[in-house]
Amino acid sequence: MLVLGGTAEARELAGELVARGVPVVSSLAGRVAAPRLPAGEVRIGGFGGPAGLAGWLRAHDVAAVVDATHPFAERISASAVAGAGMVGVPLLRLERPGWADGDEWPGVDWHPVSTMAEAAAALPALGRRVFLTTGRQGLAVFAGLADLEFLARCVDPPEPPLPPRITVLLGRGPYTVDGELALLRYHRIEVLVTKDSGGSMTSAKLVAARELGLPVVLVRRPSRPAPPPPTVRTVAAALDWLATIGRA
């Protein structure tokens, strides 16, 4: 089994497979300096595109692939579809629901956008003190907003260009509602910017923003390769899929 990982769901799936005696390799992109490692064998780094992934699958006699990467990891997901298709290896997409998928967050003042650039363009009309929780990549789109003050939370330090008035806070979830409320109040935040990552590890900021009545600029998830592979929302459903093909 190959699990394309880096998410909590990927780690949970790898743990379940190891517990069942299923040989599994978890592949991490290597973009985080000290990633949380799952159970079982781990490889770090890319495959060299779809052809490289296809060669790796063939060389390691992989029976099935589960793409459990981050909802915004477009490149590896596209490579997974193409690479697995080249060698005829079954592929499943494991992707948790987005925060804006249903009615789970009534009362949140959503401002959905399609790109980070659209998020930057929306900010001047929403507030001057901005909490950025979109990760360290892509912060360059905010660099021209010299009149706004930013608090950016990242796992690893971001690289320039950055907004001229920015404070970087290094941290990794899960976070608590009380902690997020204290952070927003201390920095006098007026607007939150986040990607629609979904999950519970970082959702406390949404509760805090709702309580304080702050607008939330939500960057929508990118579209997936067409046609998309079979997709499930939970680890349990992924295990059921693997059982149907005799791999778990």
Side-chain angles (χ1 to χ4, degrees):
M1 277 293 307
L2 174 65
V3 175
L4 304 175
T7 61
E9 292 80 12
R11 291 189 294 274
E12 182 183 348
L13 177 61
E16 290 286 348
L17 291 172
V18 168
R20 298 178 184 206
V22 179
V24 57
V25 177
S26 294
S27 179
L28 307 181
R31 293 179 178 174
V32 177
R36 293 189 176 107
L37 298 179
E41 185 179 345
V42 177
R43 70 176 301 278
I44 295 179
F47 292 93
L53 175 59
W56 195 93
L57 296 175
R58 188 181 296 111
H60 292 80
D61 196 25
V62 173
V65 179
V66 176
D67 174 14
T69 55
H70 192 276
F72 285 80
E74 300 174 72
R75 184 177 299 177
I76 185 58
S77 290
S79 289
V81 171
M86 289 178 185
V87 291
V89 173
L91 170 68
L92 178 74
R93 172 67 183 163
L94 169 56
E95 182 175 294
R96 58 182 175 254
W99 288 317
D101 281 355
D103 300 325
E104 184 181 355
W105 296 98
V108 174
D109 183 14
W110 296 119
H111 292 260
V113 296
S114 296
T115 66
M116 294 280 281
E118 288 183 13
L123 287 178
L126 295 174
R128 293 189 62 258
R129 303 180 68 87
V130 183
F131 185 26
L132 290 176
T133 63
T134 54
R136 66 187 177 93
Q137 297 184 4
L139 296 186
V141 300
F142 302 99
L145 298 174
D147 294 335
L148 304 186
E149 296 185 28
F150 292 90
L151 173 67
R153 185 166 63 196
C154 314
V155 175
D156 294 320
E159 297 180 355
L162 298 172
R165 304 170 69 181
I166 188 170
T167 298
V168 176
L169 176 65
L170 300 183
R172 191 199 304 257
Y175 302 102
T176 66
V177 173
D178 287 345
E180 298 291 65
L181 282 169
L183 184 70
L184 295 176
R185 286 169 173 150
Y186 179 81
H187 290 276
R188 294 181 285 124
I189 297 299
E190 298 173 356
V191 56
L192 167 67
V193 181
T194 187
K195 293 179 177 178
D196 191 12
S197 302
S200 61
M201 289 190 66
T202 61
S203 62
K205 63 192 172 189
L206 301 178
V207 180
R210 178 173 59 189
E211 184 168 327
L212 297 176
L214 304 183
V216 178
V217 178
L218 184 76
V219 183
R220 296 187 185 97
R221 294 180 176 186
S223 58
R224 287 288 162 181
T231 301
V232 296
R233 296 300 201 185
T234 66
V235 171
L239 291 169
D240 288 343
W241 180 84
L242 291 168
T244 65
I245 63 172
R247 304 303 179 188

